[in-house]
Amino acid sequence: MASESMSSGTEIAPSDSSTDEDDNDLSKTEIFDVLRNQRRRYVLQYLKRNDTPVELGDLASQVAAWEYNTTIDEVTSAQRKRVYTTLQQTHLPKLDETEIVEYDSSRGTIESTETTDDLNIYLEIVPGNEFAWREYYLSLGAVSCALVAALWGHVYPFTLVSNLVWATVIAVVVTFSAVAHIYHERNMRLGEREVPPELGFESDD
C-alpha cells in the first residue's frame, strides 16, 4: 500500500520586525499641534525645572500660579481645580499619547521621557509672542543687497564712504545680529529660567 509522504519542511513566517521602524518620531506638525497650547508648554517648563516623577497636584498648583500671574500660596482653590481638571482630562493624556511625557493617571504622576529631554521648544511656535527673526534677516539681506547694488552703480551719497567701510558695517551688523539671536533663543528656551519665558501672555485651554 503506497504511503503518502508529508512535507517536513518548515515555513518561516515573514518577520514583522523588518517593517517595524521607529514610529515614535514626531513630525514638526505633530509637535506644533501638541505644544501650541500654552498650558502644555507650562507642563514641560515644570518638568524641566523639577526632578520627575512629579505629582499632578503640585503641577496644577504651579501652572495655575503662572497662568494667573501669582504665587502658589495665592492660588485659589477654584483656579487650581480648573487647571487640575483640564490637565487631567485633556493635556496630560495628549502629551502621554505622543510620548512627550509619561502620565500615570492611576497614580497621578507625570514623568519626563527621552522625547521631553530632546525637545528644544522655543516661543517662535507661539504666534505673536516671538521676535520675527526670519523677517529680520530677510530685511537685513534685502538692505545689504540694495546697498551693494548702489555701490556698484556709484549712487551718491553711498560713494562718499569706501566699499571697505560698507563691507565692515555689514559684517558687524550681521555678527551682532547673530549674537543677539543666540542669546535670545537661549533665554527663550523652556527650562532655562524659573518661570516660562512666555509668562504674561494669554493662554488657551
mmCIF file with all atom_site columns, all heavy atoms in Angstrom, residues 81-100:
data_model
loop_
_atom_site.group_PDB
_atom_site.id
_atom_site.type_symbol
_atom_site.label_atom_id
_atom_site.label_alt_id
_atom_site.label_comp_id
_atom_site.label_asym_id
_atom_site.label_entity_id
_atom_site.label_seq_id
_atom_site.pdbx_PDB_ins_code
_atom_site.Cartn_x
_atom_site.Cartn_y
_atom_site.Cartn_z
_atom_site.occupancy
_atom_site.B_iso_or_equiv
_atom_site.pdbx_formal_charge
_atom_site.auth_seq_id
_atom_site.auth_comp_id
_atom_site.auth_asym_id
_atom_site.auth_atom_id
_atom_site.pdbx_PDB_model_num
ATOM 1   N N   . LYS A 1 81  ? -8.373  74.056 40.750 1.00 0.00 ? 81  LYS A N   1
ATOM 2   C CA  . LYS A 1 81  ? -9.253  72.995 40.282 1.00 0.00 ? 81  LYS A CA  1
ATOM 3   C C   . LYS A 1 81  ? -9.457  73.072 38.772 1.00 0.00 ? 81  LYS A C   1
ATOM 4   O O   . LYS A 1 81  ? -9.496  72.049 38.080 1.00 0.00 ? 81  LYS A O   1
ATOM 5   C CB  . LYS A 1 81  ? -10.599 73.077 40.988 1.00 0.00 ? 81  LYS A CB  1
ATOM 6   C CG  . LYS A 1 81  ? -11.571 71.966 40.597 1.00 0.00 ? 81  LYS A CG  1
ATOM 7   C CD  . LYS A 1 81  ? -12.875 72.064 41.365 1.00 0.00 ? 81  LYS A CD  1
ATOM 8   C CE  . LYS A 1 81  ? -13.828 70.934 40.960 1.00 0.00 ? 81  LYS A CE  1
ATOM 9   N NZ  . LYS A 1 81  ? -15.114 71.015 41.693 1.00 0.00 ? 81  LYS A NZ  1
ATOM 10  N N   . ARG A 1 82  ? -9.588  74.299 38.264 1.00 0.00 ? 82  ARG A N   1
ATOM 11  C CA  . ARG A 1 82  ? -9.784  74.485 36.822 1.00 0.00 ? 82  ARG A CA  1
ATOM 12  C C   . ARG A 1 82  ? -8.594  73.949 36.050 1.00 0.00 ? 82  ARG A C   1
ATOM 13  O O   . ARG A 1 82  ? -8.737  73.236 35.051 1.00 0.00 ? 82  ARG A O   1
ATOM 14  C CB  . ARG A 1 82  ? -9.992  75.960 36.524 1.00 0.00 ? 82  ARG A CB  1
ATOM 15  C CG  . ARG A 1 82  ? -10.140 76.294 35.040 1.00 0.00 ? 82  ARG A CG  1
ATOM 16  C CD  . ARG A 1 82  ? -10.525 77.750 34.858 1.00 0.00 ? 82  ARG A CD  1
ATOM 17  N NE  . ARG A 1 82  ? -10.626 78.093 33.456 1.00 0.00 ? 82  ARG A NE  1
ATOM 18  C CZ  . ARG A 1 82  ? -9.669  78.675 32.756 1.00 0.00 ? 82  ARG A CZ  1
ATOM 19  N NH1 . ARG A 1 82  ? -8.520  78.986 33.344 1.00 0.00 ? 82  ARG A NH1 1
ATOM 20  N NH2 . ARG A 1 82  ? -9.837  78.958 31.479 1.00 0.00 ? 82  ARG A NH2 1
ATOM 21  N N   . VAL A 1 83  ? -7.393  74.281 36.507 1.00 0.00 ? 83  VAL A N   1
ATOM 22  C CA  . VAL A 1 83  ? -6.184  73.810 35.834 1.00 0.00 ? 83  VAL A CA  1
ATOM 23  C C   . VAL A 1 83  ? -6.028  72.306 36.017 1.00 0.00 ? 83  VAL A C   1
ATOM 24  O O   . VAL A 1 83  ? -5.702  71.580 35.064 1.00 0.00 ? 83  VAL A O   1
ATOM 25  C CB  . VAL A 1 83  ? -4.951  74.554 36.378 1.00 0.00 ? 83  VAL A CB  1
ATOM 26  C CG1 . VAL A 1 83  ? -3.664  73.953 35.812 1.00 0.00 ? 83  VAL A CG1 1
ATOM 27  C CG2 . VAL A 1 83  ? -5.024  76.040 36.036 1.00 0.00 ? 83  VAL A CG2 1
ATOM 28  N N   . TYR A 1 84  ? -6.261  71.827 37.221 1.00 0.00 ? 84  TYR A N   1
ATOM 29  C CA  . TYR A 1 84  ? -6.125  70.401 37.525 1.00 0.00 ? 84  TYR A CA  1
ATOM 30  C C   . TYR A 1 84  ? -7.010  69.562 36.603 1.00 0.00 ? 84  TYR A C   1
ATOM 31  O O   . TYR A 1 84  ? -6.565  68.553 36.050 1.00 0.00 ? 84  TYR A O   1
ATOM 32  C CB  . TYR A 1 84  ? -6.510  70.166 38.987 1.00 0.00 ? 84  TYR A CB  1
ATOM 33  C CG  . TYR A 1 84  ? -6.287  68.747 39.487 1.00 0.00 ? 84  TYR A CG  1
ATOM 34  C CD1 . TYR A 1 84  ? -5.183  68.442 40.268 1.00 0.00 ? 84  TYR A CD1 1
ATOM 35  C CD2 . TYR A 1 84  ? -7.192  67.733 39.190 1.00 0.00 ? 84  TYR A CD2 1
ATOM 36  C CE1 . TYR A 1 84  ? -4.977  67.150 40.743 1.00 0.00 ? 84  TYR A CE1 1
ATOM 37  C CE2 . TYR A 1 84  ? -7.002  66.447 39.648 1.00 0.00 ? 84  TYR A CE2 1
ATOM 38  C CZ  . TYR A 1 84  ? -5.890  66.153 40.421 1.00 0.00 ? 84  TYR A CZ  1
ATOM 39  O OH  . TYR A 1 84  ? -5.696  64.869 40.881 1.00 0.00 ? 84  TYR A OH  1
ATOM 40  N N   . THR A 1 85  ? -8.252  70.002 36.448 1.00 0.00 ? 85  THR A N   1
ATOM 41  C CA  . THR A 1 85  ? -9.217  69.238 35.658 1.00 0.00 ? 85  THR A CA  1
ATOM 42  C C   . THR A 1 85  ? -8.804  69.141 34.194 1.00 0.00 ? 85  THR A C   1
ATOM 43  O O   . THR A 1 85  ? -8.848  68.065 33.579 1.00 0.00 ? 85  THR A O   1
ATOM 44  C CB  . THR A 1 85  ? -10.616 69.859 35.763 1.00 0.00 ? 85  THR A CB  1
ATOM 45  O OG1 . THR A 1 85  ? -11.018 69.875 37.134 1.00 0.00 ? 85  THR A OG1 1
ATOM 46  C CG2 . THR A 1 85  ? -11.622 69.072 34.953 1.00 0.00 ? 85  THR A CG2 1
ATOM 47  N N   . THR A 1 86  ? -8.397  70.277 33.608 1.00 0.00 ? 86  THR A N   1
ATOM 48  C CA  . THR A 1 86  ? -8.022  70.256 32.193 1.00 0.00 ? 86  THR A CA  1
ATOM 49  C C   . THR A 1 86  ? -6.720  69.503 31.964 1.00 0.00 ? 86  THR A C   1
ATOM 50  O O   . THR A 1 86  ? -6.547  68.838 30.934 1.00 0.00 ? 86  THR A O   1
ATOM 51  C CB  . THR A 1 86  ? -7.893  71.676 31.628 1.00 0.00 ? 86  THR A CB  1
ATOM 52  O OG1 . THR A 1 86  ? -6.937  72.414 32.405 1.00 0.00 ? 86  THR A OG1 1
ATOM 53  C CG2 . THR A 1 86  ? -9.227  72.399 31.657 1.00 0.00 ? 86  THR A CG2 1
ATOM 54  N N   . LEU A 1 87  ? -5.790  69.588 32.916 1.00 0.00 ? 87  LEU A N   1
ATOM 55  C CA  . LEU A 1 87  ? -4.562  68.807 32.799 1.00 0.00 ? 87  LEU A CA  1
ATOM 56  C C   . LEU A 1 87  ? -4.875  67.312 32.837 1.00 0.00 ? 87  LEU A C   1
ATOM 57  O O   . LEU A 1 87  ? -4.378  66.536 32.020 1.00 0.00 ? 87  LEU A O   1
ATOM 58  C CB  . LEU A 1 87  ? -3.598  69.155 33.949 1.00 0.00 ? 87  LEU A CB  1
ATOM 59  C CG  . LEU A 1 87  ? -2.888  70.499 33.885 1.00 0.00 ? 87  LEU A CG  1
ATOM 60  C CD1 . LEU A 1 87  ? -2.043  70.702 35.134 1.00 0.00 ? 87  LEU A CD1 1
ATOM 61  C CD2 . LEU A 1 87  ? -2.019  70.623 32.642 1.00 0.00 ? 87  LEU A CD2 1
ATOM 62  N N   . GLN A 1 88  ? -5.705  66.934 33.786 1.00 0.00 ? 88  GLN A N   1
ATOM 63  C CA  . GLN A 1 88  ? -6.037  65.527 33.975 1.00 0.00 ? 88  GLN A CA  1
ATOM 64  C C   . GLN A 1 88  ? -6.820  64.935 32.801 1.00 0.00 ? 88  GLN A C   1
ATOM 65  O O   . GLN A 1 88  ? -6.549  63.817 32.369 1.00 0.00 ? 88  GLN A O   1
ATOM 66  C CB  . GLN A 1 88  ? -6.830  65.365 35.274 1.00 0.00 ? 88  GLN A CB  1
ATOM 67  C CG  . GLN A 1 88  ? -7.209  63.925 35.611 1.00 0.00 ? 88  GLN A CG  1
ATOM 68  C CD  . GLN A 1 88  ? -8.113  63.861 36.816 1.00 0.00 ? 88  GLN A CD  1
ATOM 69  O OE1 . GLN A 1 88  ? -9.135  64.549 36.886 1.00 0.00 ? 88  GLN A OE1 1
ATOM 70  N NE2 . GLN A 1 88  ? -7.742  63.040 37.796 1.00 0.00 ? 88  GLN A NE2 1
ATOM 71  N N   . GLN A 1 89  ? -7.754  65.689 32.286 1.00 0.00 ? 89  GLN A N   1
ATOM 72  C CA  . GLN A 1 89  ? -8.665  65.149 31.284 1.00 0.00 ? 89  GLN A CA  1
ATOM 73  C C   . GLN A 1 89  ? -8.199  65.370 29.843 1.00 0.00 ? 89  GLN A C   1
ATOM 74  O O   . GLN A 1 89  ? -8.573  64.606 28.951 1.00 0.00 ? 89  GLN A O   1
ATOM 75  C CB  . GLN A 1 89  ? -10.054 65.761 31.471 1.00 0.00 ? 89  GLN A CB  1
ATOM 76  C CG  . GLN A 1 89  ? -10.695 65.423 32.808 1.00 0.00 ? 89  GLN A CG  1
ATOM 77  C CD  . GLN A 1 89  ? -12.064 66.052 32.966 1.00 0.00 ? 89  GLN A CD  1
ATOM 78  O OE1 . GLN A 1 89  ? -12.514 66.825 32.112 1.00 0.00 ? 89  GLN A OE1 1
ATOM 79  N NE2 . GLN A 1 89  ? -12.744 65.741 34.057 1.00 0.00 ? 89  GLN A NE2 1
ATOM 80  N N   . THR A 1 90  ? -7.418  66.418 29.615 1.00 0.00 ? 90  THR A N   1
ATOM 81  C CA  . THR A 1 90  ? -7.091  66.785 28.239 1.00 0.00 ? 90  THR A CA  1
ATOM 82  C C   . THR A 1 90  ? -5.595  66.803 27.949 1.00 0.00 ? 90  THR A C   1
ATOM 83  O O   . THR A 1 90  ? -5.096  66.061 27.088 1.00 0.00 ? 90  THR A O   1
ATOM 84  C CB  . THR A 1 90  ? -7.683  68.165 27.899 1.00 0.00 ? 90  THR A CB  1
ATOM 85  O OG1 . THR A 1 90  ? -9.091  68.149 28.160 1.00 0.00 ? 90  THR A OG1 1
ATOM 86  C CG2 . THR A 1 90  ? -7.431  68.518 26.448 1.00 0.00 ? 90  THR A CG2 1
ATOM 87  N N   . HIS A 1 91  ? -4.872  67.649 28.652 1.00 0.00 ? 91  HIS A N   1
ATOM 88  C CA  . HIS A 1 91  ? -3.498  67.946 28.254 1.00 0.00 ? 91  HIS A CA  1
ATOM 89  C C   . HIS A 1 91  ? -2.504  66.820 28.547 1.00 0.00 ? 91  HIS A C   1
ATOM 90  O O   . HIS A 1 91  ? -1.682  66.479 27.690 1.00 0.00 ? 91  HIS A O   1
ATOM 91  C CB  . HIS A 1 91  ? -3.044  69.250 28.911 1.00 0.00 ? 91  HIS A CB  1
ATOM 92  C CG  . HIS A 1 91  ? -3.922  70.408 28.579 1.00 0.00 ? 91  HIS A CG  1
ATOM 93  N ND1 . HIS A 1 91  ? -4.180  70.792 27.280 1.00 0.00 ? 91  HIS A ND1 1
ATOM 94  C CD2 . HIS A 1 91  ? -4.627  71.266 29.369 1.00 0.00 ? 91  HIS A CD2 1
ATOM 95  C CE1 . HIS A 1 91  ? -4.994  71.843 27.281 1.00 0.00 ? 91  HIS A CE1 1
ATOM 96  N NE2 . HIS A 1 91  ? -5.287  72.129 28.529 1.00 0.00 ? 91  HIS A NE2 1
ATOM 97  N N   . LEU A 1 92  ? -2.564  66.262 29.735 1.00 0.00 ? 92  LEU A N   1
ATOM 98  C CA  . LEU A 1 92  ? -1.629  65.182 30.053 1.00 0.00 ? 92  LEU A CA  1
ATOM 99  C C   . LEU A 1 92  ? -1.876  63.931 29.215 1.00 0.00 ? 92  LEU A C   1
ATOM 100 O O   . LEU A 1 92  ? -0.907  63.313 28.746 1.00 0.00 ? 92  LEU A O   1
ATOM 101 C CB  . LEU A 1 92  ? -1.689  64.869 31.548 1.00 0.00 ? 92  LEU A CB  1
ATOM 102 C CG  . LEU A 1 92  ? -1.120  65.974 32.449 1.00 0.00 ? 92  LEU A CG  1
ATOM 103 C CD1 . LEU A 1 92  ? -1.313  65.626 33.911 1.00 0.00 ? 92  LEU A CD1 1
ATOM 104 C CD2 . LEU A 1 92  ? 0.353   66.219 32.149 1.00 0.00 ? 92  LEU A CD2 1
ATOM 105 N N   . PRO A 1 93  ? -3.134  63.520 28.994 1.00 0.00 ? 93  PRO A N   1
ATOM 106 C CA  . PRO A 1 93  ? -3.349  62.391 28.081 1.00 0.00 ? 93  PRO A CA  1
ATOM 107 C C   . PRO A 1 93  ? -2.810  62.662 26.674 1.00 0.00 ? 93  PRO A C   1
ATOM 108 O O   . PRO A 1 93  ? -2.292  61.757 26.018 1.00 0.00 ? 93  PRO A O   1
ATOM 109 C CB  . PRO A 1 93  ? -4.875  62.242 28.075 1.00 0.00 ? 93  PRO A CB  1
ATOM 110 C CG  . PRO A 1 93  ? -5.302  62.734 29.410 1.00 0.00 ? 93  PRO A CG  1
ATOM 111 C CD  . PRO A 1 93  ? -4.382  63.889 29.697 1.00 0.00 ? 93  PRO A CD  1
ATOM 112 N N   . LYS A 1 94  ? -2.920  63.911 26.216 1.00 0.00 ? 94  LYS A N   1
ATOM 113 C CA  . LYS A 1 94  ? -2.406  64.265 24.895 1.00 0.00 ? 94  LYS A CA  1
ATOM 114 C C   . LYS A 1 94  ? -0.883  64.149 24.861 1.00 0.00 ? 94  LYS A C   1
ATOM 115 O O   . LYS A 1 94  ? -0.305  63.598 23.913 1.00 0.00 ? 94  LYS A O   1
ATOM 116 C CB  . LYS A 1 94  ? -2.833  65.698 24.551 1.00 0.00 ? 94  LYS A CB  1
ATOM 117 C CG  . LYS A 1 94  ? -2.356  66.198 23.192 1.00 0.00 ? 94  LYS A CG  1
ATOM 118 C CD  . LYS A 1 94  ? -3.100  65.514 22.068 1.00 0.00 ? 94  LYS A CD  1
ATOM 119 C CE  . LYS A 1 94  ? -2.767  66.137 20.729 1.00 0.00 ? 94  LYS A CE  1
ATOM 120 N NZ  . LYS A 1 94  ? -3.489  65.484 19.614 1.00 0.00 ? 94  LYS A NZ  1
ATOM 121 N N   . LEU A 1 95  ? -0.229  64.648 25.900 1.00 0.00 ? 95  LEU A N   1
ATOM 122 C CA  . LEU A 1 95  ? 1.224   64.564 25.970 1.00 0.00 ? 95  LEU A CA  1
ATOM 123 C C   . LEU A 1 95  ? 1.688   63.121 26.127 1.00 0.00 ? 95  LEU A C   1
ATOM 124 O O   . LEU A 1 95  ? 2.727   62.728 25.596 1.00 0.00 ? 95  LEU A O   1
ATOM 125 C CB  . LEU A 1 95  ? 1.739   65.418 27.132 1.00 0.00 ? 95  LEU A CB  1
ATOM 126 C CG  . LEU A 1 95  ? 1.595   66.927 26.973 1.00 0.00 ? 95  LEU A CG  1
ATOM 127 C CD1 . LEU A 1 95  ? 1.915   67.639 28.279 1.00 0.00 ? 95  LEU A CD1 1
ATOM 128 C CD2 . LEU A 1 95  ? 2.494   67.445 25.857 1.00 0.00 ? 95  LEU A CD2 1
ATOM 129 N N   . ASP A 1 96  ? 0.927   62.345 26.862 1.00 0.00 ? 96  ASP A N   1
ATOM 130 C CA  . ASP A 1 96  ? 1.259   60.936 27.060 1.00 0.00 ? 96  ASP A CA  1
ATOM 131 C C   . ASP A 1 96  ? 1.084   60.149 25.764 1.00 0.00 ? 96  ASP A C   1
ATOM 132 O O   . ASP A 1 96  ? 1.889   59.274 25.436 1.00 0.00 ? 96  ASP A O   1
ATOM 133 C CB  . ASP A 1 96  ? 0.371   60.345 28.155 1.00 0.00 ? 96  ASP A CB  1
ATOM 134 C CG  . ASP A 1 96  ? 0.682   58.884 28.420 1.00 0.00 ? 96  ASP A CG  1
ATOM 135 O OD1 . ASP A 1 96  ? 1.708   58.591 29.068 1.00 0.00 ? 96  ASP A OD1 1
ATOM 136 O OD2 . ASP A 1 96  ? -0.095  58.018 27.962 1.00 0.00 ? 96  ASP A OD2 1
ATOM 137 N N   . GLU A 1 97  ? 0.056   60.475 25.018 1.00 0.00 ? 97  GLU A N   1
ATOM 138 C CA  . GLU A 1 97  ? -0.228  59.787 23.755 1.00 0.00 ? 97  GLU A CA  1
ATOM 139 C C   . GLU A 1 97  ? 0.910   59.946 22.764 1.00 0.00 ? 97  GLU A C   1
ATOM 140 O O   . GLU A 1 97  ? 1.248   59.021 22.020 1.00 0.00 ? 97  GLU A O   1
ATOM 141 C CB  . GLU A 1 97  ? -1.527  60.331 23.155 1.00 0.00 ? 97  GLU A CB  1
ATOM 142 C CG  . GLU A 1 97  ? -1.922  59.709 21.829 1.00 0.00 ? 97  GLU A CG  1
ATOM 143 C CD  . GLU A 1 97  ? -3.151  60.368 21.231 1.00 0.00 ? 97  GLU A CD  1
ATOM 144 O OE1 . GLU A 1 97  ? -3.788  61.181 21.932 1.00 0.00 ? 97  GLU A OE1 1
ATOM 145 O OE2 . GLU A 1 97  ? -3.467  60.076 20.066 1.00 0.00 ? 97  GLU A OE2 1
ATOM 146 N N   . THR A 1 98  ? 1.517   61.117 22.754 1.00 0.00 ? 98  THR A N   1
ATOM 147 C CA  . THR A 1 98  ? 2.625   61.388 21.837 1.00 0.00 ? 98  THR A CA  1
ATOM 148 C C   . THR A 1 98  ? 3.979   61.050 22.463 1.00 0.00 ? 98  THR A C   1
ATOM 149 O O   . THR A 1 98  ? 5.013   61.301 21.847 1.00 0.00 ? 98  THR A O   1
ATOM 150 C CB  . THR A 1 98  ? 2.619   62.865 21.425 1.00 0.00 ? 98  THR A CB  1
ATOM 151 O OG1 . THR A 1 98  ? 2.623   63.690 22.603 1.00 0.00 ? 98  THR A OG1 1
ATOM 152 C CG2 . THR A 1 98  ? 1.390   63.197 20.602 1.00 0.00 ? 98  THR A CG2 1
ATOM 153 N N   . GLU A 1 99  ? 3.947   60.505 23.684 1.00 0.00 ? 99  GLU A N   1
ATOM 154 C CA  . GLU A 1 99  ? 5.148   60.090 24.408 1.00 0.00 ? 99  GLU A CA  1
ATOM 155 C C   . GLU A 1 99  ? 6.090   61.245 24.711 1.00 0.00 ? 99  GLU A C   1
ATOM 156 O O   . GLU A 1 99  ? 7.295   61.051 24.898 1.00 0.00 ? 99  GLU A O   1
ATOM 157 C CB  . GLU A 1 99  ? 5.882   58.972 23.649 1.00 0.00 ? 99  GLU A CB  1
ATOM 158 C CG  . GLU A 1 99  ? 5.039   57.730 23.465 1.00 0.00 ? 99  GLU A CG  1
ATOM 159 C CD  . GLU A 1 99  ? 5.797   56.574 22.846 1.00 0.00 ? 99  GLU A CD  1
ATOM 160 O OE1 . GLU A 1 99  ? 7.023   56.726 22.633 1.00 0.00 ? 99  GLU A OE1 1
ATOM 161 O OE2 . GLU A 1 99  ? 5.187   55.545 22.574 1.00 0.00 ? 99  GLU A OE2 1
ATOM 162 N N   . ILE A 1 100 ? 5.543   62.447 24.752 1.00 0.00 ? 100 ILE A N   1
ATOM 163 C CA  . ILE A 1 100 ? 6.344   63.593 25.173 1.00 0.00 ? 100 ILE A CA  1
ATOM 164 C C   . ILE A 1 100 ? 6.548   63.544 26.681 1.00 0.00 ? 100 ILE A C   1
ATOM 165 O O   . ILE A 1 100 ? 7.594   63.933 27.192 1.00 0.00 ? 100 ILE A O   1
ATOM 166 C CB  . ILE A 1 100 ? 5.671   64.915 24.735 1.00 0.00 ? 100 ILE A CB  1
ATOM 167 C CG1 . ILE A 1 100 ? 5.694   65.012 23.211 1.00 0.00 ? 100 ILE A CG1 1
ATOM 168 C CG2 . ILE A 1 100 ? 6.360   66.118 25.359 1.00 0.00 ? 100 ILE A CG2 1
ATOM 169 C CD1 . ILE A 1 100 ? 5.021   66.249 22.665 1.00 0.00 ? 100 ILE A CD1 1
#
